[in-house]
Amino acid sequence: MNVAKVLVYDLLFGQGVKCGGVWKALMTKHGPRLQAALARLKVKKKVSRNQDLLPTTGKPTEAQLPRYARVNTLKTTLEDTIDYLKREGFSYLGRASSLEDLRRLSGKNFLCDLHLPELLVFSPKTDLHTHFLYQAGHLILQDKASCLPAFLLKPPAGAHVLDACAAPGNKTSHLAALLGNKGKLFAFDLDAKRLSTMSTLLLRAGVTCHQLAHQDFLTVDPQDPRYSQVEYILLDPSCSGSGMLGRPAQEAEAGEEAGRLAALAGFQMRCVRHALRFPRLRRLTYSTCSVHAQENEEVVSACLQDNPGFRLVSLLPGWQERGHPPLHQCLRASPTQTLTHGFFVAMLERRPPGEVVEKEDGTNTLLPASVTSAPDSKGEEEAPHPSTPQTEAKKKRKRKRGKGKARVLAD
């Protein structure tokens, strides 16, 4: 019975029945009847998409969330985009002042987001995939939570920026827009197919300051001269995806799920620690689309303990959902609290030289400048002063006096 359910799912919602033999023959025979039954059910429920058939729970479904579209400032302006949409029959209601404004959106009404100035918000049933502004790269369809890492990192024009796990490329195009296509944007991903798709997306978005590399970020040498001026890193590594609505839940035994999360958290910690090794790094945003603390706050806490030269930056004080205590500086996002997919963002910043740091036991310590400061542009350390005969003689006299004191104390 379980096999039959899996095969029916593959036939109706997946990529087709892949098996052979009796089971495939059975599915082929009854396939048209199953498809017809699915079509009748959607007509009865008055929905057009398969995901709209899912039962409504206490939290919003993907179909109930607002639709977000980021204005691509590499190709247009916010004002021109609003004017274009108004000429097409959309009604602009101004900038939102609360989440309630977003909840009340309906029909062809739209708003500017209350947190991100170049993000437009539409009613849940708005579909812009075939719209000219999307196809021409003027609008980027991107969930609000996914826009946060680049928006918060905010690299200045002309900066050198690194996108560690870049595909599919929406965050990369956002970084390029913030840079104004000035500076350098290094983007890495291990999946060649996703990287190819990303190249097409960046071309449509008008991005020209990027350098794509089919490479595992963990194999990138932080001491490579090409990255000697990288001051900003966006790190959005592979995660469980547990915050994404509309993604089929993966059933697994408790032990298997625990092992999977532990492996992901280990990989994420390696990525953060590797990113913090870049000598000129000033700020890093770490983000996931996971709801698990093991992939979020616990990763950040472990990496901060290993890297006392960095600290957390408090993000968007007015944001409603915060990181789990004590990491209140971080942001969380969820369908119920922020009307987005589930998400987590933290920003790590290099401490200024000589900053006093509070230890876990409550005592304070002064970090040496060598811990908090990036090396000079040549990556060279300051050489010690050479010894002279006079200084050597002084050292010998001090050692003799020290031995004399020790003998007196012993007597």
Side-chain angles (χ1 to χ4, degrees):
M1 187 62 178
N2 289 333
V3 174
K5 289 180 180 178
V6 171
L7 293 176
V8 169
Y9 178 91
D10 287 343
L11 176 69
L12 297 179
F13 309 112
Q15 298 179 359
V17 178
K18 303 295 184 182
C19 68
V22 177
W23 282 110
K24 185 170 185 178
L26 188 63
M27 290 296 110
T28 303
K29 178 181 177 181
H30 295 286
R33 292 176 60 190
L34 291 169
Q35 293 284 4
L38 176 62
R40 288 195 300 271
L41 180 61
K42 286 196 285 188
V43 171
K44 182 179 178 181
K45 297 289 186 180
K46 297 181 180 181
V47 299
S48 59
R49 303 185 306 168
N50 293 331
Q51 54 263 46
D52 295 339
L53 292 170
L54 294 172
T56 302
T57 59
K59 67 178 183 179
T61 64
E62 183 182 17
Q64 295 170 315
L65 291 180
R67 293 290 179 259
Y68 298 97
R70 176 171 55 81
V71 175
N72 179 15
T73 54
L74 292 176
K75 286 200 162 185
T76 186
T77 65
L78 178 65
E79 293 75 16
D80 286 349
T81 303
I82 292 173
D83 287 343
Y84 190 98
L85 290 168
K86 287 165 67 175
R87 289 197 299 271
E88 287 206 330
F90 285 87
S91 299
Y92 178 55
L93 304 181
R95 186 168 298 281
S97 59
S98 68
L99 287 176
E100 285 305 314
D101 292 339
L102 307 188
R103 286 192 177 96
R104 288 194 291 263
L105 279 173
S106 62
K108 299 192 77 172
N109 296 330
F110 73 104
L111 291 157
C112 271
D113 184 66
L114 65 159
H115 296 108
L116 283 71
E118 287 155 357
L119 188 68
L120 299 180
V121 192
F122 299 83
S123 65
K125 294 185 178 180
T126 304
D127 188 356
L128 297 170
H129 285 90
T130 59
H131 197 281
F132 165 76
L133 291 179
Y134 168 70
Q135 294 184 339
H138 291 211
L139 283 179
I140 309 293
L141 304 185
Q142 187 175 2
D143 186 64
K144 177 178 177 176
S146 176
C147 296
L148 289 172
F151 171 75
L152 294 169
L153 190 61
K154 203 168 292 185
H160 287 205
V161 185
L162 193 150
D163 191 349
C165 306
N170 282 339
K171 298 181 184 68
T172 313
S173 68
H174 196 178
L175 288 170
L178 292 168
L179 291 170
N181 261 340
K182 298 175 182 177
K184 289 185 179 180
L185 177 52
F186 304 99
F188 301 90
D189 204 273
L190 193 56
D191 190 318
K193 186 176 180 180
R194 282 162 55 91
L195 207 61
S196 176
T197 303
M198 175 180 171
S199 181
T200 302
L201 183 150
L202 296 182
L203 179 65
R204 184 174 65 191
V207 178
T208 58
C209 63
H210 63 295
Q211 295 182 23
L212 297 186
H214 178 209
Q215 185 177 354
D216 182 353
F217 171 63
L218 292 174
T219 67
V220 177
D221 182 7
Q223 303 302 323
D224 190 315
R226 287 177 293 179
Y227 315 123
S228 62
Q229 299 302 314
V230 168
E231 293 183 311
Y232 302 88
I233 294 180
L234 188 151
L235 176 59
D236 188 70
S238 298
C239 69
S240 64
S242 52
M244 298 297 293
L245 298 178
R247 178 176 292 187
Q250 296 182 350
E251 294 185 4
E253 296 293 334
E256 293 179 359
E257 180 65 12
R260 176 170 170 265
L261 287 178
L264 284 168
F267 166 72
Q268 292 151 358
M269 278 189 273
R270 290 196 299 275
C271 288
V272 176
R273 287 166 177 154
H274 188 68
L276 297 181
R277 292 176 54 207
F278 282 76
R280 282 284 173 184
L281 179 65
R282 294 179 61 190
R283 284 190 165 188
L284 172 144
T285 53
Y286 170 72
S287 59
T288 74
C289 52
S290 169
V291 300
H292 300 296
Q294 189 172 354
E295 297 179 88
N296 298 329
E297 290 88 355
E298 292 180 20
V299 168
V300 173
S301 294
C303 293
L304 284 173
Q305 289 179 3
D306 297 342
N307 295 273
F310 288 85
R311 65 184 178 188
L312 275 177
V313 177
S314 186
L315 304 172
L316 295 181
W319 190 266
Q320 185 173 358
E321 194 167 6
R322 313 302 301 183
H324 292 172
L327 303 189
H328 59 274
Q329 302 96 327
C330 307
L331 301 183
R332 277 180 169 265
S334 66
T336 53
Q337 297 294 316
T338 60
L339 299 182
T340 66
H341 290 266
F343 213 76
F344 172 85
V345 189
M347 182 184 288
L348 280 65
E349 176 183 67
R350 190 182 295 274
R351 295 180 184 273
E355 182 177 83
V356 176
V357 181
E358 183 177 348
K359 295 182 178 180
E360 291 184 0
D361 59 5
T363 61
N364 294 332
T365 183
L366 182 66
L367 287 181
S370 60
V371 173
T372 59
S373 301
D376 61 27
S377 58
K378 296 181 181 179
E380 297 173 351
E381 295 180 358
E382 184 180 354
H385 294 291
S387 297
T388 63
Q390 290 83 356
T391 57
E392 288 298 325
K394 288 181 180 179
K395 289 179 182 179
K396 288 182 180 179
R397 287 197 294 271
K398 286 181 180 179
R399 283 197 293 268
K400 287 181 179 179
R401 286 198 295 270
K403 290 179 180 179
K405 288 181 180 177
R407 283 196 295 270
V408 171
L409 290 172
D411 293 339

